[in-house]
Amino acid sequence: MAKRIDVSGLSAYYGSHRAIDDISMTVEPRSVTAFIGPSGCGKSTFLRTLNRMHEVTPGGRVEGKVLLDDENLYGPNVDPVAVRRTVGMVFQRPNPFPTMSIFDNVAAGLRLNGTVRKSELADVVERSLKGANLWNEVKDRLNKPGSGLSGGQQQRLCIARAIAVEPDVLLMDEPCSALDPISTLAIEDLIGELKERFTIVIVTHNMQQAARVSDRTAFFNLAAVGQPGKLIEIDETERIFSNPSVQATEDYISGRFG
Amino acid sequence: MASTTPTDTPPAPPLSPRSGTSTGRAGDKIFSGLSKGSGILLLVIMASIAGFLTYRAAIAISKDEGNFLTTFDWNASADPPVFGIAVLLVGTVISSIVAMVIAVPIAVGIALFISHYAPRRLAAPIAYIVDLLAAVPSIIYGIWGAIVLVPYLAGLNLWLDQYFAWTYIFDQTQPGVARNMLTVGILLAIMILPIVTSVSREVFLQVPRMNEEAALALGATRWEVIRLSVLPFGRSGVISASMLGLGRALGETMAVATVLSPSYLMSLHLLDPGGGTFAQNIAAKFGEANGVGRDALIASGLVLFVLTLLVNGAARLIIARRKEYSGANA
């Protein structure tokens, strides 16, 4: 299950433009790692290289290595579709399949993997919705469309959909930026529970959120607009927010820029 | 833009579409008169067409010695006139259904290829060529159909009759050249392909990126992305595209008239020559018809008019309902 991520020398491009440059870091299993940094610094791009979603953007290209335990996601014989089945992702805006019921949304990934037995699906859907703290709110309307839920519920539905296939890693790209404070709190609590089972990487613009939910924090920055984003430092969250080793990190978290 | 910041200085008066009329300048008056006049003219034209059709149709139907709806014959210029639209109605609907059954799956396939499979430098030319099909005049299709398609399809007819006669519709009871409803349907399918393709393609291109990424991130292959995100989103758009194509197939005249060898025999055997459609029948008979004969053709035109109106109305209803499915209510 939860696996270690080991990134070395990773650069990502949009066409000829280099968006992130030479990033290396290690993400421990069963922990939450937060990516912070100003807009455009490449933290979302970097996140999307971890499940090979970057290359679905036209012109998207990646150099370098991402090891999941010992397997290189960018190895020559690795199928990106298979990678995405083991590295789940939750997006900025909740994106349940609009025409599908709540049940079918959660079951979608399982069906892609070939699970069709009704009883097995029902078990996993219940377990996943409970895991996403959504079961009590939707158990009486599993056949209603997922798009009828509130924004926060939809985002938890997307989390349930992502964890239903038992991924090794869960990537979250600003999962709370479209949500109100109460829904945000619900998701943050959920992240705390999920890290018992998954390796979680979360991109956030909210530094309090990074401080609340993460064990380790990585600070990204870019020299100037149009320059590639770089990893400035990664450390224990407590250290990053109290005594970071790089001046730029301190400037950013204390609000002096960005 | 200013409406989002109510604390600003007093907002400017709202710019209503009519605020220009108060200036009283000559240019404004002329333009407003012109646009109003065009609008009214359109209504007058529509109303006079409908009124004309209904009036002449009423005359014809009152003189009809047969039953206008159920008679299998068209002797409107005879005395007494005997005519009915049964064969034409069935022929029109059947040829259009055949066209839809053939064209819609192919059009959806082409649209998906252009929107999701083809590399960009290939997608644009293919889209252009498909659109070009729509620019070919229908008489050209008719000539091509009569000269190329009809002899070419004779073999297909034999084959269908040999292996699929048990389906009844492919049972060929009168062997002969392929001037039948199947050929007409195939020709109509080619003719409605561009409209169905381009509307479907537009809908498929509108699928929100985040819906497709939801499927991709679950580990969906390209086909699975299409099945999970693109087709459910585009379904109602494809339906309305098909309705637009159906509207065209129902009213197509020259291509049908050139290919079909018409008769007033009611037959559901697609491979037998015979049958007819409203538009084909009008084109074939109008020149020699007079008096009641013309009115009778006009009456059949009215039925086609209503049929097309219903199909287009249904298409519009579906397009309007599509908004609920857009997935933008997140």
Side-chain angles (χ1 to χ4, degrees), chain B residues 149-223:
Chain B
L149 204 54
V150 168
Y152 203 74
L153 286 179
L156 177 72
N157 285 0
L158 283 175
W159 184 80
L160 282 173
D161 179 52
Q162 190 174 352
Y163 294 102
F164 294 97
W166 53 271
T167 58
Y168 186 82
I169 53 170
F170 292 131
D171 184 8
Q172 192 171 25
T173 59
Q174 305 166 42
V177 284
R179 296 183 163 275
N180 52 34
M181 279 297 168
L182 182 69
T183 308
V184 170
I186 290 172
L187 195 57
L188 289 177
I190 299 170
M191 297 176 72
I192 66 174
L193 200 62
I195 180 81
V196 185
T197 303
S198 58
V199 175
S200 305
R201 182 191 70 213
E202 287 306 312
V203 177
F204 293 151
L205 285 173
Q206 279 171 20
V207 177
R209 190 78 200 130
M210 67 175 200
N211 287 14
E212 289 183 36
E213 291 201 335
L216 273 174
L218 279 179
T221 61
R222 205 173 339 199
W223 159 239

Side-chain angles (χ1 to χ4, degrees), chain B residues 42 58 90 93 121 133 139-141 163-164 180 186 191 289 294 298 304 313 324:
Chain B
L42 180 75
V90 170
V93 171
R121 62 195 152 71
L133 276 180
I139 185 68
I140 304 293
Y141 279 108
Y163 294 102
F164 294 97
N180 52 34
I186 290 172
M191 297 176 72
R294 288 202 164 185
I298 289 168
L304 177 62
E324 298 166 24

Side-chain angles (χ1 to χ4, degrees), chain A residues 12 24 26 35 55 63 102 107 119 137 142 158 170 178 185 256:
Chain A
S24 301
T26 302
F35 293 174
E55 63 208 57
E63 287 169 6
I102 293 170
S119 58
E137 293 157 67
L142 292 174
C158 293
L170 192 57
L185 201 62
R256 251 167 274 175

Side-chain angles (χ1 to χ4, degrees), chain B residues 46-245:
Chain B
M46 278 302 285
S48 59
I49 290 177
F52 163 81
L53 287 178
T54 315
Y55 172 67
R56 300 287 288 269
I59 295 178
I61 293 172
S62 68
K63 291 184 179 157
D64 189 359
E65 291 293 312
N67 184 316
F68 182 64
L69 292 177
T70 57
T71 300
F72 293 178
D73 208 349
W74 196 272
N75 286 316
S77 297
D79 189 27
V82 176
F83 57 90
I85 57 163
V87 172
L88 304 179
L89 182 62
V90 170
T92 304
V93 171
I94 284 183
S95 61
S96 298
I97 290 175
V98 172
M100 301 280 289
V101 167
I102 297 170
V104 171
I106 296 175
V108 169
I110 298 174
L112 281 175
F113 179 71
I114 293 171
S115 65
H116 283 81
Y117 281 92
R120 257 187 244 182
R121 62 195 152 71
L122 203 60
I126 292 175
Y128 180 73
I129 288 169
V130 173
D131 287 344
L132 212 60
L133 276 180
V136 177
S138 58
I139 185 68
I140 304 293
Y141 279 108
I143 294 171
W144 176 78
I147 295 175
V148 179
L149 204 54
V150 168
Y152 203 74
L153 286 179
L156 177 72
N157 285 0
L158 283 175
W159 184 80
L160 282 173
D161 179 52
Q162 190 174 352
Y163 294 102
F164 294 97
W166 53 271
T167 58
Y168 186 82
I169 53 170
F170 292 131
D171 184 8
Q172 192 171 25
T173 59
Q174 305 166 42
V177 284
R179 296 183 163 275
N180 52 34
M181 279 297 168
L182 182 69
T183 308
V184 170
I186 290 172
L187 195 57
L188 289 177
I190 299 170
M191 297 176 72
I192 66 174
L193 200 62
I195 180 81
V196 185
T197 303
S198 58
V199 175
S200 305
R201 182 191 70 213
E202 287 306 312
V203 177
F204 293 151
L205 285 173
Q206 279 171 20
V207 177
R209 190 78 200 130
M210 67 175 200
N211 287 14
E212 289 183 36
E213 291 201 335
L216 273 174
L218 279 179
T221 61
R222 205 173 339 199
W223 159 239
E224 286 163 340
V225 171
I226 286 168
R227 202 162 46 88
L228 282 174
S229 299
V230 179
L231 289 181
F233 180 89
R235 188 182 53 190
S236 41
V238 171
I239 293 173
S240 52
S242 312
M243 294 289 201
L244 288 175

